[in-house]
Amino acid sequence: MSAVVETRNLTKMFGKFKALDGVDITVNKGEVYGFIGPNGAGKSTTIRVLLGILKATAGDATIFEKDVWGDAVEIHKRVAYVPGDVNLWPNLTGGEVIDLFLKFRGADINTKRREELIHKFKLDPTKKCRTYSKGNRQKVALVAAFAADADLYILDEPTSGLDPLMEQIFQEYVFEAKKEGKSILLSSHILSEVEKLCDRVGIIREGKIIETGTLTELRHLTRTNLLVATRSPISDLNNLKGVHALKQQEDAVSFQVDTEELDSVIKHISSFGIEKLESAPPTLEDLFMRHYEGEESGDKGGAANG
Amino acid sequence: MADTVYHQTGRLAQFVLRRDRIRIPIWLFGFLFFTLIVPIAFLGLYGSQEDRDIMANTMENPAMVAMVGPADLTNYTIGVMTGHQMLLLTAVVVGLMNILLVTRHTRGDEESGRIELIRSLPAGRLANLTATVSVYSGINLVLALLIGVGLYLLNIESMDLEGSLLYGAALGGTGIFFTGVTALFAQLSESSRGTIGFSIGVLLIAYLVRGVTDVSIEALSWISPLGWVTKTEVYGANNWIPIVLLLIGSIILFAIANYLNAIRDLEAGFFSAKSGKRYASRFLQTPLGLALRLQRTGIIAWAIGLFVIGVSYGSVLGDLDSFFEGNEMMMQMLDASGGHSFTEQFIPMLMVVMAILATIPPVMAMNKLYGEEKKGRIEHFLARSVSRTKLMASFLIIAVINGFVMVSLAGIGLWVASAAVMEDPFTFGTLFVAAIVYYPAILIMISVSLVLIGLKPNFSSIVWFYLFYSFMVLYFGGLFDMPTWLEKISPFGYIPGLPIDNMEITPIIILTGLAFIMMLIGFIGYRKRDIEV
Ligand SMILES: Nc1ncnc2c1ncn2[C@@H]1O[C@H](COP(=O)(O)OP(=O)(O)OP(=O)(O)O)[C@@H](O)[C@H]1O
Ligand SMILES: [Mg+2]
């Protein structure tokens, strides 16, 4: 596998404030990389460093094995970017902006593709940008991005203004790009979106990557939710290693189990005669909650699951 | 490397032109029109050399020199006269145009996140700045040629080709220089408001420094770029050195701006914003408090500015005094003209200029209401049980107090300086009342702004044209023998010019009443119309 995006020990200071503190991420070819973390964690900052519009204080960052600062223009010929907050020129129409962005790449505009995207995203390209709603401005940027024949898509909360129908369309295009072997770096607060689209996820907090890996790998780090009814009451459950958030329900108990202790816990409870066993896999949200809330609240982390 | 830095500059330049394809021709046409109409009017009014010499005589005093600069009054041809009375003021407006338009394409676009989009495309780091600077240098060049050739084609005897081209070059050169000033502040300041504020500050300081030095030690005004404009001595000595200085200055400014742009992060500046308070004070939680907080820096800057302008004009009055003292003939002439000293006769003229300047900040304060609406921030108030009437009233109160403070400060500044330099100074009351008497006219301008916001917000900038019109007719009305009804279209035309004219209370009452009625209409309109988002 070859890395399309690679950062090593990326650090960015804003004055005395350390916004990025040694960020290492790798996005491989043909992969959708989910980039998540609480507000102000440093997602947009990382992305802006990758785009060569902020200069890293320390560390290396490369895209297509070129330096993101020094070779920005070369890199951008093959990159398409969509920010979360799209601000356009009030006097230009959406169509004009799309053409402007496409022409900037130097390549010919693929008119068929452009029309298809405009149609799919239900965008009226003849309206002035001043009259567009937030979602519509975002669509302009999305159309311009997907109509460009890029090898890497950098998307910073690209769907924060889209309705669920449009979100669906967006996901189709992400899948399509992935199928064509393109890479996508997607930052998002919509975890279901990340769960659905991303092959690998990196979680950033306070400028540090605190967790990274495939979803399956990350699930190991969290807890499975169990609901169990047994013929005889389970003894000693409370003292069992890896059991948390124990709750007695009418005729059953619910609790969470650390994934690595799952085997021993199941063995223990099976001796009490299982009548009912429901398990729910840990969602990304569980994972997220646990990490977002910081160390001190690690214990009640999984309980947020609904 | 050059590719990383300047790639796609050409396309961006096209884009700048495309976005300003209406704005630029309007400005250029405006400059051409106002520049060409003046010598034609002068030719009609002051056709003979005797007429012009009389004019030259009235121009030969420190107050006029402070305002429009020095000139060769012994050779007051139509050309010299046009250059003397128009060139400097036009150059200031050209500077203003460049400040506004260049800010729009640099810090303005950057602040709103549009440059981020451009930079994510294969565009060089400095491409946008270079494109903007190139386009506006080009526009100023076109302006220089249009004016130069246009003046020459008027075919007026004293206006030869070289003088005309130099006239144009002085305007274009000033324009390019202020493109550079703006490009620099667009790097230093983090906001477009800041960029415009600092650049206009430089423009005003350049103007004032030139005024003070022109009156005292003329050679010193070489330190002000606007001093260079009058040093060209168009249609006389035709001195091109100032143009060279303007261009060298511009190149230095461009180089610094480019360097700063290259080493800074996008959306960052060098004048760092302090981190603010954690909690809103009680006052800030009211719409009045917020409205005030939003404009605090601007109001303070304007207040200082008006006081300084008052002081500058006031300091000239002393020179004016001693100037006439040494001139027997002038003294006799004055006695003939109704017992008012020449110095006194200048007061109304200074006052009207200062009053119109003092109208700018209150009108800005009022228009801010619509500015906030356009940015979608008014909703925050209206959604929080603040009535529209209360909201509008908050902005109005600030505008009304603002106007009073501004015009008072100008008057006080005038008095302070004149009391220090004159042998027989005016009393405080005389000058203060002469200033404050314009307040009803300022109220009218505020209420025009308010009515437009209430009824036709899209047209709210019309008030600026009205103010500009008022300035033109009152400032040039006397010069061009304009019919008085033209003055009467402006509220400033009804204000008695104290201390020369007698105090008249009727127009004051009528203007105030009219302002009140218009405000009422504006309030009613504002309650009924849709809020834009
Ligand atoms: N220009 C700047 N100057 C100073 N601090 C900044 C600047 N830009 C960002 N920061 C700070 O850096 C940190 C990271 O910001 P960033 O925008 O990268 O967060 P984010 O992860 O994208 O958050 P969100 O989810 O809210 O978009 C924040 O604390 C922010 O306040
Ligand atoms: Mg962000």
Side-chain angles (χ1 to χ4, degrees):
Chain A
M1 269 200 292
S2 60
V4 172
V5 179
E6 188 153 31
T7 72
R8 284 289 158 262
N9 194 28
L10 198 63
T11 304
K12 175 70 192 171
M13 312 281 297
F14 290 115
K16 287 204 186 86
F17 177 73
K18 206 173 216 171
L20 298 182
D21 188 3
V23 169
D24 296 326
I25 56 174
T26 309
V27 181
N28 297 308
K29 184 161 166 25
E31 161 180 276
V32 184
Y33 185 92
F35 197 28
I36 60 177
N39 293 130
K43 301 180 294 295
S44 302
T45 306
T46 308
I47 286 177
R48 288 155 145 244
V49 170
L50 288 175
L51 287 168
I53 59 184
L54 298 183
K55 192 167 171 143
T57 314
D60 302 312
T62 57
I63 295 182
F64 310 130
E65 292 170 355
K66 295 192 180 93
D67 177 45
V68 291
W69 180 260
D71 300 321
V73 170
E74 246 350 271
I75 292 171
H76 293 180
K77 287 179 183 159
R78 296 165 61 196
V79 170
Y81 168 58
V82 179
D85 231 336
V86 181
N87 236 309
L88 302 170
W89 296 268
N91 288 325
L92 302 191
T93 65
E96 284 177 303
V97 171
I98 293 170
D99 283 352
L100 176 84
F101 285 1
L102 290 174
K103 276 195 204 136
F104 251 92
R105 303 179 168 282
D108 286 335
I109 297 175
N110 181 344
T111 322
K112 208 173 127 250
R113 171 89 171 159
R114 176 184 181 274
E115 290 313 310
E116 177 206 303
L117 277 155
I118 287 176
H119 177 74
K120 277 274 190 124
F121 277 108
K122 295 200 170 55
L123 180 73
D124 180 354
T126 60
K127 276 193 173 167
K128 297 259 181 189
C129 291
R130 121 176 51 232
T131 65
Y132 281 137
S133 64
K134 175 178 163 65
N136 279 327
R137 287 198 303 270
Q138 208 150 32
K139 286 185 200 170
V140 170
L142 284 168
V143 169
F146 285 119
D149 191 23
D151 294 321
L152 170 67
Y153 293 87
I154 297 182
L155 312 171
D156 192 357
E157 299 184 43
T159 58
S160 55
L162 296 190
D163 67 42
L165 230 58
M166 290 301 127
E167 163 92 40
Q168 201 69 42
I169 307 279
F170 164 76
Q171 295 183 359
E172 275 173 33
Y173 278 101
V174 171
F175 278 128
E176 183 198 288
K178 185 180 151 186
K179 244 197 310 213
E180 290 169 7
K182 298 168 171 182
S183 316
I184 291 133
L185 171 59
L186 169 70
S187 133
S188 177
H189 288 301
I190 305 170
L191 297 174
S192 58
E193 176 181 275
V194 175
E195 224 167 352
K196 201 157 151 195
L197 293 175
C198 298
D199 304 307
R200 291 198 312 130
V201 175
I203 302 180
I204 184 171
R205 206 187 73 209
E206 290 170 11
K208 289 196 183 83
I209 298 282
I210 47 172
E211 213 64 78
T212 177
T214 64
L215 278 174
T216 340
E217 281 164 8
L218 292 185
R219 284 208 172 103
H220 279 293
L221 299 171
T222 184
R223 298 162 186 164
T224 305
N225 301 291
L226 288 182
L227 182 78
V228 191
T230 45
R231 247 167 283 138
S232 48
I234 311 171
S235 65
D236 242 11
L237 195 53
N238 231 343
N239 301 325
L240 223 56
K241 199 170 160 230
V243 170
H244 306 270
L246 187 65
K247 234 181 274 158
Q248 190 66 48
Q249 307 209 336
E250 278 165 40
D251 52 355
V253 283
S254 74
F255 53 91
Q256 300 176 336
V257 185
D258 286 342
T259 309
E260 56 264 42
E261 300 297 330
L262 201 54
D263 190 47
S264 62
V265 171
I266 296 285
K267 272 185 190 141
H268 178 78
I269 57 174
S270 62
S271 59
F272 297 90
I274 296 177
E275 280 183 329
K276 185 171 104 180
L277 174 70
E278 286 173 17
S279 86
T283 59
L284 189 54
E285 200 166 318
D286 293 329
L287 193 74
F288 200 72
M289 289 301 178
R290 220 175 117 183
H291 286 301
Y292 278 27
E293 285 170 1
E295 301 304 313
E296 78 282 4
S297 54
D299 236 350
K300 61 176 167 74
N305 182 44
Chain B
M1 184 60 196
D3 203 41
T4 328
V5 179
Y6 296 114
H7 193 69
Q8 294 284 29
T9 301
R11 190 179 295 283
L12 272 169
Q14 274 177 29
F15 183 51
V16 171
L17 276 173
R18 155 79 181 71
R19 284 174 61 205
D20 283 352
R21 66 187 163 181
I22 297 176
R23 251 168 260 253
I24 291 172
I26 290 180
W27 278 99
L28 289 184
F29 176 79
F31 286 122
L32 195 61
F33 177 79
F34 281 107
T35 303
L36 296 191
I37 193 110
V38 168
I40 296 173
F42 280 166
L43 201 60
L45 291 166
Y46 308 97
S48 74
Q49 191 57 49
E50 288 87 79
D51 291 339
R52 290 197 292 272
D53 285 341
I54 294 171
M55 182 49 130
N57 261 328
T58 64
M59 284 287 150
E60 194 178 2
N61 64 71
M64 284 318 295
V65 172
M67 213 174 305
V68 298
D72 181 4
L73 296 173
T74 57
N75 174 30
Y76 216 49
T77 59
I78 295 282
V80 173
M81 186 166 168
T82 307
H84 184 206
Q85 306 203 0
M86 291 299 294
L87 184 55
L88 181 62
L89 290 175
T90 316
V92 170
V93 183
V94 170
L96 195 65
M97 168 190 89
N98 280 280
I99 291 171
L100 295 177
L101 296 185
V102 171
T103 302
R104 199 169 108 81
H105 291 283
T106 51
R107 188 49 80 165
D109 268 5
E110 189 168 333
E111 182 182 50
S112 55
R114 294 176 200 134
I115 300 288
E116 178 180 349
L117 288 173
I118 297 279
R119 285 278 297 277
S120 77
L121 297 165
R125 229 181 295 292
L126 299 178
N128 185 63
L129 179 67
T130 313
T132 308
V133 161
S134 314
V135 166
Y136 275 92
S137 300
I139 300 292
N140 284 301
L141 189 66
V142 171
L143 173 72
L145 289 175
L146 275 178
I147 300 267
V149 173
L151 284 172
Y152 177 62
L153 289 182
L154 290 179
N155 206 9
I156 293 171
E157 200 195 331
S158 57
M159 303 179 81
D160 58 350
L161 184 61
E162 190 187 355
S164 302
L165 288 178
L166 182 58
Y167 193 114
L171 293 182
T174 311
I176 294 177
F177 187 85
F178 278 94
T179 292
V181 170
T182 316
L184 177 60
F185 281 113
Q187 313 311 317
L188 296 175
S189 167
E190 266 178 354
S191 67
S192 61
R193 274 170 65 103
T195 306
I196 291 179
F198 285 117
S199 306
I200 290 185
V202 169
L203 185 71
L204 282 184
I205 290 170
Y207 180 80
L208 291 177
V209 164
R210 178 219 54 80
V212 172
T213 50
D214 271 353
V215 172
S216 50
I217 310 159
E218 215 191 303
L220 261 185
S221 45
W222 280 99
I223 61 172
S224 160
L226 284 178
W228 301 343
V229 171
T230 51
K231 298 264 189 259
T232 53
E233 297 186 47
V234 288
Y235 301 116
N238 282 343
N239 184 2
W240 286 85
I241 291 175
I243 307 297
V244 176
L245 287 178
L246 282 171
L247 294 182
I248 292 175
S250 313
I251 290 169
I252 294 172
L253 287 168
F254 292 155
I256 301 175
N258 256 288
Y259 172 71
L260 293 179
N261 196 3
I263 60 165
R264 72 177 173 89
D265 280 339
L266 191 75
E267 284 162 35
F270 290 90
F271 300 161
S272 65
K274 296 176 293 203
S275 61
K277 290 195 187 130
R278 178 172 204 119
Y279 298 106
S281 63
R282 273 196 102 78
F283 183 53
L284 183 57
Q285 294 168 18
T286 65
L288 183 67
L290 186 78
L292 191 61
R293 176 70 179 73
L294 289 174
Q295 338 181 15
R296 187 175 63 188
T297 324
I299 290 177
I300 294 172
W302 272 98
I304 295 172
L306 277 160
F307 184 75
V308 169
I309 288 171
V311 168
S312 318
Y313 280 149
S315 62
V316 168
L317 292 180
D319 290 310
L320 203 60
D321 244 12
S322 48
F323 175 79
F324 289 119
E325 229 130 76
N327 195 325
E328 282 297 319
M329 198 189 80
M330 278 281 187
M331 297 291 273
Q332 279 166 11
M333 231 173 81
L334 283 183
D335 277 345
S337 68
H340 291 290
S341 75
F342 230 118
T343 316
E344 277 179 330
Q345 291 186 33
F346 266 104
I347 299 295
M349 186 166 171
L350 297 180
M351 285 300 178
V352 80
V353 171
M354 293 198 301
I356 286 176
L357 282 176
T359 311
I360 296 174
V363 169
M364 272 167 62
M366 197 64 235
N367 273 357
K368 181 99 186 154
L369 176 61
Y370 181 57
E372 290 292 299
E373 177 177 342
K374 270 203 300 196
K375 290 184 189 138
R377 296 198 282 236
I378 283 299
E379 291 170 307
H380 298 310
F381 287 110
L382 297 181
R384 282 187 184 70
S385 77
V386 171
S387 75
R388 294 184 182 201
T389 309
K390 187 164 175 193
L391 188 64
M392 190 175 233
S394 305
F395 280 81
L396 177 64
I397 289 171
I398 290 178
V400 164
I401 297 175
N402 181 323
F404 186 83
V405 170
M406 295 297 163
V407 77
S408 307
L409 280 175
I412 293 171
L414 189 70
W415 175 76
V416 167
S418 64
V421 296
M422 287 173 75
E423 274 175 21
D424 179 20
F426 293 103
T427 63
F428 175 74
T430 315
L431 288 185
F432 190 72
V433 171
I436 215 72
V437 73
Y438 282 95
Y439 187 54
I442 296 176
L443 285 180
I444 289 278
M445 298 314 275
I446 295 173
S447 64
V448 167
S449 163
L450 188 144
V451 151
L452 286 169
I453 294 171
L455 301 180
K456 282 258 167 267
N458 290 339
F459 293 94
S460 62
S461 43
I462 285 182
V463 68
W464 295 119
F465 286 98
Y466 191 31
L467 191 63
F468 183 66
Y469 170 85
S470 301
F471 177 73
M472 293 302 277
V473 292
L474 282 144
Y475 188 73
F476 292 113
L479 218 55
F480 295 146
D481 259 351
M482 289 191 205
T484 38
W485 63 264
L486 279 176
E487 276 181 23
K488 298 293 177 197
I489 294 179
S490 160
F492 292 89
Y494 292 90
I495 304 291
L498 301 177
I500 303 296
D501 297 347
N502 289 325
M503 180 63 195
E504 282 178 67
I505 204 75
T506 332
I508 302 293
I509 292 172
I510 291 177
L511 284 178
T512 312
L514 203 61
F516 192 70
I517 293 169
M518 284 204 287
M519 287 174 191
L520 219 57
I521 296 172
F523 269 101
I524 294 169
Y526 192 61
R527 281 176 54 176
K528 287 186 183 157
R529 76 169 170 85
D530 286 346
I531 293 294
E532 291 175 17
V533 270

